[in-house]
């Protein structure tokens, strides 16, 4: 059956016969010996790798769209309609001030994903599915039957109508992405009468809500609280708390930190692992137990207070603290708040008789007391210090005060608002380079379609809600919206349809074991998918969707405020026509709308090419004055005619065709330019004239507003000042008796660091990456000896919620008591034993919401033991090829 065509932006000729021929060869190879796919080739080597004849094709800018944060330049060489090579940014000479936007090994293997033999090729249904559910228990373990698009869409429409008529629109759960409101299907289902939403704090953890309430954000977001990359070179010391941009922030982030090192900065890494960025920068390592950062920071605050001597050893910046913050001591409390509830007296133990000394903190966090005191001396007010925090430490339960406490340390030492001084969060491509966007992304011009249903379920109770019919409603909207954090309201919910429209929520949300159980309970599960991921594997109907390489083109990077490298925006083109029978998500949304009796023009008033043009024509770039903006792209009438869109010619910084061919526009930086950024600079100079967006206009070390917001949600309670809270499934939970230090059954903590094999769960099926990165479980030598485990042994990791199997790597680079299980490996349950053979981290986590509903990815406790059965390496497993 021939593919239907979408709008094409000068798409290279696609040789369908060549592709299908090579796909068959690759599928055969992958299904028999489990080696690398060979989809684009003239000859096949003994490892089935593509060998191009010569470089006589055309280089085209291609998307690298996955959520690692790098947003790097990716280009492909197309010969006779087949992609044979990839490369990254070579648009200008590389330099520290004007770096290339280089891609990593994942982006460079993108063609092994797009043209993979395990791409889902046709619409399909479970063999034992029938309207109403069929044999639900076989979801995830059934055979697949190929069906037509008409059949598939009719089945989906029938189940949606049936659910609405019998149970109402609240019975339809739309799952996908950060929040289902950003998914194409939300438009159709919104016009259909609505749906129940899913929300998650995702990578942000407690950075999602806390900073906006206590004043710890600039430009409207938390990851702009640090200065720009040029100013980082002015720092004497850079402290990195739970940070590893070498793994979790691709692009130029690590390069920026390296320039600071070359300029003389020394680095201190506080992390359970001596990670890649610490190794690169030759950082001093302070090993810390997971989910104990609050205890550590309180011990640091205590050391700053007791060691401070304004005359001989000034550590605390009292001028900044007193003029720019509230709540530190009894003399500077918010109006109406009990003076006993001040931070200083809490830390000193004035009222609770428990000083939060370095020794007290050390017992919990594992960092030696003398090291905590030494760090206090090293970050004093007169030294140029960057106190930086990644987001991993906030992806734990009961961490709602953590961002507030990091802010407090910065306020105490005055490392805010000055050159060479900064305190804040670093995330994704903004890591090491804070500031307003120099290039602002465009807008597609589509009108929003509201959801008539206000039900929104937090990820930490989503699967329990499906299973029990009850959940805690805390407001509608996205997780960055204040409406999301409203007073908790217990609600009944009766979910009968799970519509997995995007993302990998079954895979990447807490409590995956419960998620599988929930998927096997409802009447109907449908998934949009490119591969047989967990979302698709446990579905009844699977709809194959296109990748970005098969769409009309688009953009990444650039932003109104953040979410990408502030200095550039990437343009990518369509590389190939849709493969097999894959369709775009928008096409599916429109076709379903027609069958549901909805006018498709209400869903999408104009097509994907017009949306592309609208974005193109509204991109803005900063002028040399560093203040005003102009149109980035020059568009001619000929460009408009060739695209077949409606629009007006416009002047701009770069011509459309040049922009498209280069694939990137980057603002050239240089020392002394007008694009520098010092976070909090104006606020520090005059806090009254430049108040923060808080109730007091200052940094709120005591924040009644934060406590009210969190406490009214109904998950767990916090104080207005950052206090130590025992973390659910945290370090103290590994003890049966904490006071006597008697360990319990689950005596190890499990963390899920990002891994170079994949971006979250994406790329995990690519054989190249499976071969290069084996996805083991990392354990310390001490723990290995205690459990008679050697590198290479199969180990079973068991929590209260599930079991997973991996091979061990024994290393001195991880703290004893901690197991590192890389994030994002695909679920692969052995139905006989109930063990996940894939090493999926969220099999081990539970459904336990706390505080503001932040996911507890790094607060897991488990046991580990040698396993008698050998584990087949992932690279040797057959690919999940259907048809």
């Amino acid at each position: 059956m021939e593919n239907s065509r979408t709008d094409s932006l000068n798409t290279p000729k696609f040789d369908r016969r060549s592709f299908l021929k090579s796909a068959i060869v690759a599928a055969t190879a992958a299904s028999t010996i489990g080696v690398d796919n060979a989809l684009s080739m003239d000859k096949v080597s003994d490892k089935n790798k593509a060998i191009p004849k010569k470089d006589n094709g055309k280089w085209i800018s291609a998307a690298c769209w996955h959520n690692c944060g790098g947003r790097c330049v990716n280009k492909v060489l197309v010969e006779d309609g087949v992609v044979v090579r990839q490369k990254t940014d070579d648009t200008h000479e590389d330099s520290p001030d004007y770096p290339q936007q280089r891609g990593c090994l994942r982006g460079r293997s993108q063609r092994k994903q797009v043209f993979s033999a395990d791409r889902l090729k046709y619409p399909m249904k479970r063999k034992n599915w029938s309207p109403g559910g069929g044999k639900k228990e076989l979801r995830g373990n059934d055979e697949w039957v190929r069906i037509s698009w008409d059949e598939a869409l009719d089945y989906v429409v029938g189940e949606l109508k049936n659910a609405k008529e019998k149970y109402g629109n609240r019975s339809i759960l739309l799952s996908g992405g950060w929040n289902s409101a950003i998914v194409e299907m939300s438009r159709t289902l919104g016009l259909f009468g609505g749906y129940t939403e899913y929300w998650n704090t995702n990578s942000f953890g407690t950075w999602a809500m806390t900073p906006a309430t206590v004043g710890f954000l600039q430009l409207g977001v938390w990851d702009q609280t640090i200065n720009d990359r040029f100013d980082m070179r002015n720092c004497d010391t850079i402290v990195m708390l739970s940070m590893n941009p070498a793994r979790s922030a691709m692009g130029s982030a690590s390069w920026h930190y390296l320039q600071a090192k070359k300029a003389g900065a020394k680095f201190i890494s506080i992390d359970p692992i001596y990670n890649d960025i610490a190794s690169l920068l030759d950082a001093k390592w302070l090993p810390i137990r997971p989910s104990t950062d609050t205890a550590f920071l309180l011990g640091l605050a205590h050391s700053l207070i007791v060691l401070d001597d304004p005359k001989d050893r000034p550590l605390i910046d009292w001028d900044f603290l007193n003029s720019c913050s509230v709540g530190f001591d009894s003399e500077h409390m918010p109006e109406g708040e009990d003076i006993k509830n001040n931070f200083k007296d809490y830390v000193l133990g004035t009222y609770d008789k428990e000083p939060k000394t370095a020794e007290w903190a050390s017992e919990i966090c594992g960092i030696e007391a003398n090291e905590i005191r030494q760090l206090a001396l090293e970050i004093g007010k007169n030294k140029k210090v960057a106190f930086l925090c990644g987001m991993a430490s906030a992806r734990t339960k009961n961490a709602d005060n953590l961002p507030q406490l990091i802010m407090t340390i910065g306020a105490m030492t005055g490392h805010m608002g000055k050159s060479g001084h900064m305190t804040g969060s670093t995330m994704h491509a903004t890591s090491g380079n804070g500031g307003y966007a120099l290039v602002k992304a465009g807008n597609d011009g589509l009108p929003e379609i509201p959801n008539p249903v206000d039900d929104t379920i937090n990820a930490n109770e989503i699967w329990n809600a499906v299973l029990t019919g009850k959940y805690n409603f805390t407001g509608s909207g996205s997780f960055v919206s204040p409406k999301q954090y409203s007073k908790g309201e217990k609600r009944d919910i009766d979910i009968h349809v799970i519509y997995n429209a995007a993302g990998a929520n079954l895979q990447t949300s807490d409590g995956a074991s419960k998620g599988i159980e929930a998927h096997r309970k409802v009447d109907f599960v449908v998934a949009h998918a490119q591969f047989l991921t967990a979302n698709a594997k446990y579905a009844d109907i699977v709809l194959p969707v296109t990748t970005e390489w098969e769409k009309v083109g688009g953009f990444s990077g650039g932003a109104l405020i953040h979410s990408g490298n502030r200095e550039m925006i990437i343009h990518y083109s369509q590389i190939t026509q849709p493969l097999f029978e894959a369709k775009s998500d928008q096409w599916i949304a429109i076709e379903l709308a027609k069958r549901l009796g909805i006018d498709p023009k209400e869903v999408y008033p104009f097509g994907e090419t017009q949306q592309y043009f609208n974005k193109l024509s509204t991109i803005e770039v900063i002028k040399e004055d560093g203040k005003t903006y102009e149109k980035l792209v020059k568009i001619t009438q000929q460009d408009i005619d060739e695209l077949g869109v409606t629009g007006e010619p416009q002047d701009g910084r770069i011509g459309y065709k040049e922009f498209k061919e280069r694939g990137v526009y980057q603002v050239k930086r240089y020392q002394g330019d007008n694009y520098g950024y010092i976070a909090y600079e104006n606020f520090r100079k005059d806090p009254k004239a430049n108040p923060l967006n808080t109730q007091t206009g200052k940094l709120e070390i005591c924040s009644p507003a934060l406590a009210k917001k969190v406490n009214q949600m109904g998950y767990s309670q916090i104080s207005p000042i950052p206090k130590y809270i025992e973390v659910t499934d945290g370090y103290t939970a590994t003890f049966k008796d904490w006071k006597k230090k008697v360990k319990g059954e689950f005596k190890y903590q499990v963390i899920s660091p990002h891994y170079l094999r994949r971006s979250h769960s994406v790329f995990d099926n690519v054989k190249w990456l499976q071969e290069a990165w084996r996805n083991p479980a990392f354990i310390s030598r001490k723990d290995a000896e205690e459990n008679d485990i050697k590198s290479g042994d199969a180990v079973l990791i068991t929590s209260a919620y599930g079991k997973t199997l991996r091979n061990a790597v024994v290393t001195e680079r991880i703290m004893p008591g901690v197991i590192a299980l890389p994030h994002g490996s695909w679920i692969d349950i052995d139905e006989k034993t109930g063990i996940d053979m894939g090493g999926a981290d969220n099999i081990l986590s539970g459904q336990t919401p706390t505080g503001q509903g932040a996911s507890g990815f790094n607060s897991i406790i488990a046991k580990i033991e040698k396993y008698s059965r050998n584990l087949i390496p992932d690279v040797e497993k057959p690919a999940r090829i259907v048809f």
Side-chain angles (χ1 to χ4, degrees), residues 527-806:
H528 296 198
Q530 294 158 1
F531 306 96
L532 198 64
T533 59
N535 277 9
K537 187 176 181 180
Y538 290 89
D540 299 313
I541 300 292
V542 178
L543 308 178
V545 293
T546 52
T547 67
E548 291 300 307
W549 281 21
E550 298 153 77
K551 296 180 182 179
V552 299
F555 312 90
S556 60
L560 293 177
I561 300 175
H562 72 116
S563 183
N565 186 328
R566 66 186 290 244
E567 298 168 7
M568 62 89 179
I569 189 167
I570 288 172
H571 176 283
Y572 55 85
S573 299
Q574 185 172 5
I575 303 303
T576 178
Q577 292 294 320
L579 302 179
F580 298 97
E581 292 183 13
K583 307 287 186 182
S584 74
D585 296 285
Q586 287 194 22
W587 183 91
I588 295 171
I590 290 169
E591 290 301 313
L592 287 175
K594 293 176 183 176
R595 287 167 166 79
L596 291 169
I598 300 167
D599 182 355
K601 286 295 183 183
E602 289 188 58
V603 184
Y604 285 100
F606 41 84
E608 294 181 56
T609 304
Q610 186 66 52
Q611 295 166 40
Y612 161 87
F613 175 80
N614 292 348
K615 290 180 182 179
L616 176 77
S617 61
T618 52
I619 302 170
E620 292 185 332
V621 60
I622 200 159
K623 295 181 181 179
E624 287 191 13
D625 62 9
K627 298 177 181 178
T628 56
Y629 291 81
E630 64 183 349
K631 296 288 188 183
L632 173 65
V633 185
K634 180 179 180 179
I635 301 172
T636 66
Q637 186 61 51
Q638 183 181 353
D639 295 330
I640 294 169
D641 293 341
E642 289 177 357
L643 288 170
V645 296
T646 301
E648 296 293 330
Q650 64 182 38
D651 199 8
R653 184 82 60 86
I654 184 173
Y656 167 56
K657 288 185 173 61
E658 181 186 356
F659 180 40
K660 181 180 176 183
E661 183 176 347
R662 289 176 63 86
V664 62
Y665 180 84
Q666 182 176 347
V667 175
K668 189 172 184 177
R669 297 290 310 275
Y670 56 89
Q671 296 285 350
D673 62 26
N674 291 318
Y675 312 132
Y677 175 72
I678 306 294
Y680 292 101
E681 185 174 27
N682 292 333
F683 170 69
R684 181 180 187 117
K685 288 177 180 177
D686 192 341
K688 289 185 179 179
N690 302 282
L692 302 177
N693 190 26
T694 61
Q695 288 187 349
T696 62
K698 297 184 178 183
L699 300 169
E700 295 192 345
I701 297 171
C702 178
S703 178
L706 176 64
K708 180 180 179 181
K709 278 187 178 183
V710 171
N711 295 342
Q712 73 176 0
M713 290 178 71
Y715 293 130
S716 62
Q717 302 291 295
I718 68 168
S719 168
I721 57 172
K723 291 185 176 182
Y724 173 70
I725 301 173
E726 287 198 2
V727 175
T728 303
D729 290 335
Y731 174 63
T732 56
T734 65
F735 292 85
K736 182 168 60 177
D737 189 323
W738 167 249
K739 291 184 177 179
K740 295 181 180 179
K741 298 299 182 285
V742 179
K743 279 285 190 177
E745 178 185 6
F746 303 122
K747 62 181 183 178
Y748 299 101
Q749 292 182 273
V750 180
I751 59 174
S752 52
H754 288 284
Y755 197 54
L756 282 175
R757 176 161 130 186
R758 51 188 170 260
S759 175
H760 294 294
S761 65
V762 180
F763 293 111
D764 199 46
N765 56 323
V766 176
K767 292 298 177 183
W768 275 4
L769 298 175
Q770 288 179 354
E771 183 178 11
W773 298 89
R774 299 304 179 97
N775 202 76
F778 298 92
I779 62 173
S780 73
R781 188 168 302 282
K782 179 177 181 293
D783 295 334
E785 290 172 353
E786 287 181 0
N787 292 277
D788 191 28
I789 293 170
K790 296 179 176 60
S791 283
D793 287 347
V795 291
L796 182 66
I797 307 171
T798 305
S799 75
Y801 310 104
K803 302 177 180 181
T804 193
L805 195 63
R806 283 289 89 189

Side-chain angles (χ1 to χ4, degrees), residues 29 65 138 207 234 261 270-271 327 336 340 380 390 401 406 427 463 493 502 637 650 683-684 728 763 783 791 840 855:
W65 65 95
L138 291 180
W207 291 95
N234 295 323
K261 177 177 175 58
I270 305 168
D271 198 282
K340 291 182 178 181
N401 284 132
I406 292 167
M427 180 187 179
W463 309 132
I493 195 74
Q637 186 61 51
Q650 64 182 38
F683 170 69
R684 181 180 187 117
T728 303
F763 293 111
D783 295 334
S791 283
S855 292

